[in-house]
Amino acid sequence: MGTDKYILQIEELSKSYDKKIFALKDFSYKLESGKICAVVGESGSGKSTLLKLIAGLERSDQGQINMGDQILCNDQIHLSPQKRSVGLVFQDFALFPHLRVKENIAFGLAPGSHSKIEQMLKAVRLEGYEDRFPSELSGGQEQRVAIARSLVREPDLLLLDEPFSNLDTNLKSELRHEIKRLIKDLGLSMIFITHDIYDAMDIADEIIFLKEGKIVRQSAITDIFKAVKDKYVKENMEELKRSAETILSMIPK
Amino acid sequence: MVTMGILLGIPLFSIGINLFDGVGDMWNHILEYFLLEYISNSVYLLLGTGIICSILGVSTAWIVSKYDFKYRKLISWLLYMPLAIPSYIVAYTYVGLFGNGGSLILVLQQLGFELQKIEFMNTPGLIWVLSISLYPYVYASLRAMFSNYPHALRDAAYLLGANENKYFFKVALPMAYPALIASLFLVFMEVLNDYGAAKYFGINTFTTGIFRTWTALEDLSSAIYLSAILLVLVFALMRLNRWMRSRRSYAFKMKEISDKGDRRIKLEGRRKYVAYFILSIPILFGLVLPLGQLMHWASLNMEALYSSELWEVAFQSVTLASTAAILILLFALVLLYLSRWNYIKSLNFFSRIPAIGYVLPGAIIGIGIIRSSQEIINFFQDQLGLEVGYLFYGSSFILVYAYIFRFMAVAYNPIEASSLKLGKGLSESSYLLGANRWRTMLKIDFPLIKPVILSTFLLVFIDLMKELPLTLILKPYNLNTLALNAYAYADDERLVEAAWPALLLVAMIGLLMIILNRRTKMNSN
């Protein structure tokens, strides 16, 4: 799988919950191996549905998802979440509250994988916290455990659902860079959803704007200001420009 | 508040003080022949009911909260209903069903089974009867727990490679341990409190032993010693409960939002039939069969339905239970507000004394009150020359007092929880707007906690209607309740005559449980 150019290929994926309004409609997308993609959109734009479909937590109405040369789902096939090489970090982290940090990380591993757990604790800088319960951790530490728990199973693709929404500003910035470092060090691919354009600007290689279940803009992060047509994307870009200009005007020359 | 706490705690203090009077004449006899049996039987009953209630309660709660199938809502409601039939009534019906010539034995014989009877009047039989009556405590608690798990937890487990079994045993069940332990504690207290079923099956337990020592052996001092030993067992269980829960209290940080939408797994094929089979066991043995047997007996004695005796007893039951329930609610509210208004927080300990009553078996409270009331009567007679004995033994005064102590926690805890949920903000806003404490209580607090007060009244009323051991010890000679009536007939082996009071009691409790269920849903909405 590692030799393929694209780790993930989605073709004409649709999902509707009530057979009338589509959470996702004819969604097609390809993610290159080793890249980070940010999915930006308002509430109800279909961001979470996209992650759930990739993870196998929801069934699509039509379309196909491939990971490397493996079909994850199409009209006939639905691979269970257990059989997909996908890690998902939930918005609320979904740590098992009755298990210690090391037990949470070991949950998806075969018994006796101590060295892997130690390596992962080191990678997410949580050495010394292994015997704590999730309730004894800060928000940032909880998130690192959730990431470690997903990464320790060595997935080919990591998905993150609004990973920074519960964190304060300082911690946000620190964690954004830490996650980027981890993903790049481990040579993984990642899709994360956010409603905050700054998150996307900071760590993503490419960006998708979703609106009513459809892609309204897809570009490399470096081309984000080029040839913007959609109103929603335009508004976002203008807001971004205004903030940048305000900040620049405050910097003494 | 301090006075109320001490006054309501008299039965408990009485046992402690009277221990210093030494043992009674029959103590050596009890020690030699019965004590070991009381202890071992009580321990067997606790272990047996603990295991069976856990299996029945956890499995049924898991199936109805996590899976979808036809009649799920009806079944999940029926699973609560065995709680409407007091265990002593289940015990009589089992003899009618499975004893010599029992209704179910006859059916089985007609189906070709060569059976004379299935023996239930032994310790395993009592364990089954108590378990099938009390498992709804575990079911109710675990169902609430399982239903509130965020779906993200299950999704996370699946994405980490877990299958349904691993998710249940490694995540869902361990997370429910605090709820399981708390509900098993309630089951254990009910087991230790049971008198009717154990007495009817002839199993010697602490509670039957206390009664026997006091009534048949006429040795109140030894009965107090037995009560003290039982009290040690109760407090040991209380400590164990607290210790186990403190070690396993998990903060739930996840947002409710991740739980939106119904994501129960649809059961199909063989798994569906296995689920129906598991769910049918407690409903059949805890509700359908006992109720069917009661109805069968009642149909043999239709004239009792038109007798004035039955309805007089029912009237006395309702009057006694409603009077006591209102008083219990009043005392709970007074205690709650006194402790809220009190600035010396260390004194709030006294407001918790009456709450201990709920974990004390009725027999202990009864013996404690008998002992202390004798001393109070003597005090009034010797010191003040007043005859107050009639007040204690000729009226329901002492019984209602005992009810208040026994069931105070049933009223106090939910009202306190609801009041804490409201927080101090509203009261403080009211004070800042110029209202005094009374006006705030009447105009702000009461209207907001009114739904909980009404639900609590029903809850206390149900407990009072079912109550047997305390009523048996402390009732005045002219008082009769449906519970007492059913027990007395059954104890005389007049099972057919026991059917109507039992059926009426079950019908009333069942109806109140339905109302309570609706009110709880309304309150939560």
Side-chain angles (χ1 to χ4, degrees):
Chain A
M1 243 183 272
T3 54
D4 292 324
K5 187 181 177 196
Y6 295 108
I7 182 73
L8 184 77
Q9 298 182 63
I10 302 174
E11 284 164 32
E12 303 202 328
L13 197 66
S14 291
K15 171 73 185 173
S16 129
Y17 289 103
D18 58 2
K19 312 264 186 228
K20 286 177 196 159
I21 301 164
F22 281 86
L24 220 55
K25 178 87 174 148
D26 298 331
F27 181 96
S28 295
Y29 172 70
K30 288 177 182 176
L31 177 70
E32 275 184 49
S33 293
K35 297 282 184 191
I36 297 176
C37 170
V39 182
V40 181
E42 293 169 322
S43 300
S45 59
K47 304 188 301 281
S48 293
T49 304
L50 175 66
L51 287 203
K52 282 181 180 170
L53 288 169
I54 298 171
L57 298 171
E58 297 277 3
R59 283 172 186 263
S60 60
D61 297 338
Q62 65 168 61
Q64 179 161 321
I65 305 176
N66 281 35
M67 220 164 127
D69 49 13
Q70 186 184 31
I71 299 172
L72 297 188
C73 69
N74 61 19
D75 293 346
Q76 282 95 38
I77 298 168
H78 176 83
L79 215 60
S80 68
Q82 291 91 335
K83 290 179 182 159
R84 300 181 184 206
S85 185
V86 173
L88 172 59
V89 177
F90 292 83
Q91 190 177 359
D92 300 312
F93 316 127
L95 295 180
F96 304 129
H98 62 299
L99 299 181
R100 294 171 196 278
V101 167
K102 63 181 177 195
E103 291 162 338
N104 260 287
I105 297 175
F107 187 86
L109 295 175
S113 315
H114 301 297
S115 61
K116 265 189 166 182
I117 299 164
E118 276 168 27
Q119 274 174 17
M120 198 42 72
L121 280 165
K122 203 173 166 187
V124 294
R125 298 176 191 169
L126 276 175
E127 294 147 300
Y129 290 87
E130 53 268 36
D131 286 321
R132 293 203 185 179
F133 284 103
S135 57
E136 297 165 343
L137 300 175
S138 69
Q141 288 165 341
E142 278 189 284
Q143 192 189 48
R144 282 186 232 183
V145 178
I147 291 170
R149 188 176 69 171
S150 295
L151 289 183
V152 79
R153 281 171 52 83
E154 298 172 5
D156 292 311
L157 175 66
L158 183 66
L159 308 172
L160 289 95
D161 186 355
E162 301 260 7
F164 311 110
S165 63
N166 289 332
L167 307 172
D168 61 49
T169 317
N170 289 341
L171 201 59
K172 242 183 180 190
S173 166
E174 189 190 321
L175 271 168
R176 280 200 294 240
H177 291 106
E178 217 166 290
I179 288 174
K180 185 166 186 176
R181 175 186 61 81
L182 264 172
I183 296 298
K184 296 294 176 188
D185 285 357
L186 297 168
L188 297 178
S189 313
M190 179 173 107
I191 296 177
F192 74 99
I193 61 176
T194 179
H195 58 263
D196 187 345
I197 189 91
Y198 295 96
D199 292 341
M201 295 279 293
D202 211 12
I203 60 169
D205 298 307
E206 60 182 21
I207 188 164
I208 289 174
F209 285 91
L210 263 187
K211 194 177 166 189
E212 291 166 4
K214 287 182 178 171
I215 297 181
V216 288
R217 166 119 172 129
Q218 178 184 345
S219 78
I221 207 80
T222 45
D223 298 335
I224 195 166
F225 289 104
K226 288 180 190 165
V228 179
K229 286 177 194 155
D230 181 78
K231 194 183 158 215
Y232 168 65
V233 184
K234 245 182 197 166
E235 280 169 7
N236 264 282
M237 292 303 104
E238 275 162 16
E239 172 66 30
L240 208 58
K241 271 183 193 167
R242 268 199 300 277
S243 302
E245 281 163 9
T246 314
I247 294 165
L248 281 172
S249 71
M250 289 175 184
I251 298 172
K253 284 171 187 160
Chain B
M1 183 176 64
V2 176
T3 317
M4 270 179 75
I6 292 171
L7 273 179
L8 287 171
I10 284 175
L12 193 61
F13 307 135
S14 165
I15 289 186
I17 292 165
N18 282 294
L19 280 176
F20 296 104
D21 289 351
V23 291
D25 302 336
M26 303 306 292
W27 183 248
N28 284 336
H29 170 75
I30 294 166
L31 207 61
E32 198 170 338
Y33 296 105
F34 292 109
L35 189 61
L36 196 63
E37 194 185 358
Y38 294 157
I39 294 174
S40 60
N41 278 347
S42 296
V43 171
Y44 286 144
L45 287 178
L46 292 178
L47 283 176
T49 48
I51 292 168
I52 297 177
C53 283
S54 299
I55 294 170
L56 289 176
V58 171
S59 59
T60 50
W62 181 249
I63 293 170
V64 297
S65 15
K66 288 295 151 197
Y67 297 101
D68 203 14
F69 44 88
K70 212 174 177 185
Y71 306 119
R72 190 189 65 83
K73 278 190 178 165
L74 175 70
I75 290 171
S76 60
W77 175 77
L78 284 174
L79 283 164
Y80 288 111
M81 293 315 280
L83 213 52
I85 313 181
S87 49
Y88 48 86
I89 293 176
V90 178
Y92 315 147
T93 60
Y94 265 54
V95 174
L97 285 160
F98 298 102
N100 267 324
S103 319
L104 207 67
I105 293 294
L106 291 177
V107 174
L108 290 173
Q109 281 172 352
Q110 281 175 358
L111 291 172
F113 292 93
E114 286 181 18
L115 270 172
Q116 291 308 310
K117 65 172 181 174
I118 300 172
E119 189 56 83
F120 267 91
M121 294 180 84
N122 48 30
T123 310
L126 183 58
I127 287 174
W128 176 255
V129 163
L130 291 173
S131 303
I132 208 74
S133 313
L134 300 173
Y135 86 87
Y137 283 113
V138 179
Y139 165 74
S141 172
L142 275 269
R143 193 190 160 200
M145 190 78 188
F146 289 149
S147 306
N148 283 327
Y149 282 170
H151 292 303
L153 277 182
R154 186 173 66 190
D155 292 344
Y158 286 179
L159 279 162
L160 293 167
N163 56 19
E164 271 182 69
N165 283 346
K166 185 172 176 183
Y167 171 61
F168 175 73
F169 285 109
K170 294 273 181 179
V171 180
L173 186 59
M175 274 175 60
Y177 282 154
L180 179 63
I181 293 164
S183 56
L184 279 180
F185 179 70
L186 285 178
V187 169
F188 290 162
M189 292 307 106
E190 291 289 340
V191 169
L192 291 179
N193 185 47
D194 171 70
Y195 172 72
K199 169 80 173 22
Y200 189 69
F201 279 6
I203 309 295
N204 286 326
T205 64
F206 263 109
T207 301
T208 60
I210 291 168
F211 268 85
R212 188 170 170 273
T213 308
W214 175 51
T215 54
L217 303 179
E218 294 182 347
D219 184 353
L220 190 57
S221 299
S222 297
I224 285 176
Y225 261 74
L226 279 179
S227 300
I229 296 173
L230 179 55
L231 209 54
V232 171
L233 184 62
V234 169
F235 283 131
L237 284 171
M238 256 171 98
R239 289 299 310 166
L240 189 68
N241 173 31
R242 283 215 184 134
W243 179 70
M244 289 181 83
R245 289 178 70 189
S246 68
R247 287 184 68 226
R248 293 185 176 276
S249 67
Y250 318 115
F252 236 23
K253 276 188 174 176
M254 301 182 75
K255 285 184 190 165
E256 300 251 328
I257 200 162
S258 42
D259 233 4
K260 276 191 173 169
D262 188 4
R263 292 199 32 208
R264 287 193 190 90
I265 302 167
K266 195 151 182 66
L267 275 182
E268 275 157 0
R270 198 171 60 92
R271 278 158 56 97
K272 185 171 74 180
Y273 296 108
V274 172
Y276 279 133
F277 175 72
I278 294 171
L279 296 171
S280 68
I281 293 171
I283 295 175
L284 184 70
F285 287 93
L287 183 70
V288 177
L289 289 177
L291 208 57
Q293 182 62 37
L294 280 181
M295 286 174 170
H296 169 63
W297 277 331
S299 70
L300 301 176
N301 186 25
M302 283 307 285
E303 64 271 25
L305 184 62
Y306 307 108
S307 79
S308 60
E309 189 208 340
L310 178 71
W311 298 104
E312 273 166 28
V313 171
F315 179 72
Q316 281 193 36
S317 266
V318 172
T319 313
L320 179 70
S322 47
T323 313
I326 290 168
L327 285 171
I328 288 168
L329 275 176
L330 277 177
F331 272 88
L333 283 167
V334 170
L335 266 182
L336 179 69
Y337 275 89
L338 285 177
S339 69
R340 268 181 79 169
W341 292 345
N342 160 41
Y343 291 110
I344 310 166
K345 292 296 168 201
S346 54
L347 290 181
N348 283 350
F349 160 77
F350 289 94
S351 74
R352 308 297 308 175
I353 292 176
I356 300 170
Y358 194 59
V359 298
L360 297 184
I364 294 183
I365 299 174
I367 292 293
I369 288 177
I370 290 281
R371 187 68 186 189
S372 47
S373 55
Q374 195 51 54
E375 275 159 23
I376 292 168
I377 292 166
N378 292 346
F379 172 81
F380 273 94
Q381 197 164 27
D382 299 345
Q383 305 295 323
L384 307 166
L386 289 172
E387 288 284 348
V388 290
Y390 69 94
L391 194 65
F392 284 80
Y393 299 121
S395 74
S396 302
F397 167 77
I398 204 166
L399 179 61
V400 171
Y401 165 77
Y403 283 162
I404 294 173
F405 180 58
R406 172 87 170 91
F407 295 111
M408 176 63 85
V410 183
Y412 188 87
N413 292 345
I415 296 175
E416 188 196 27
S418 153
S419 158
L420 285 174
K421 209 172 163 186
L422 283 179
K424 285 182 177 175
L426 292 175
S427 309
E428 284 168 354
S429 304
S430 168
Y431 299 154
L432 287 168
L433 291 168
N436 62 18
R437 282 171 171 177
W438 287 102
R439 193 171 148 78
T440 303
M441 186 176 87
L442 293 172
K443 293 280 178 189
I444 306 292
D445 295 352
F446 274 9
L448 289 169
I449 59 171
K450 200 170 78 181
V452 177
I453 292 179
L454 288 171
S455 302
T456 308
F457 173 81
L458 291 178
L459 208 61
V460 177
F461 187 84
I462 289 173
D463 267 343
L464 288 167
M465 290 290 288
K466 285 162 79 173
E467 212 292 326
L468 184 64
L470 258 185
T471 320
L472 211 54
I473 297 179
L474 297 172
K475 79 176 191 83
Y477 65 93
N478 56 353
L479 179 81
N480 211 345
T481 65
L482 287 172
L484 282 175
N485 209 222
Y487 165 77
Y489 278 130
D491 202 39
D492 280 351
E493 296 296 336
R494 292 155 72 184
L495 294 173
V496 173
E497 285 157 274
W500 272 113
L503 203 57
L504 206 55
L505 181 64
V506 171
M508 286 169 81
I509 296 171
L511 192 69
L512 290 169
M513 279 176 67
I514 295 168
I515 298 170
L516 191 64
N517 188 28
R518 290 204 170 168
R519 287 204 63 82
T520 312
K521 271 188 191 162
M522 264 164 56
N523 290 353
S524 60
N525 286 339

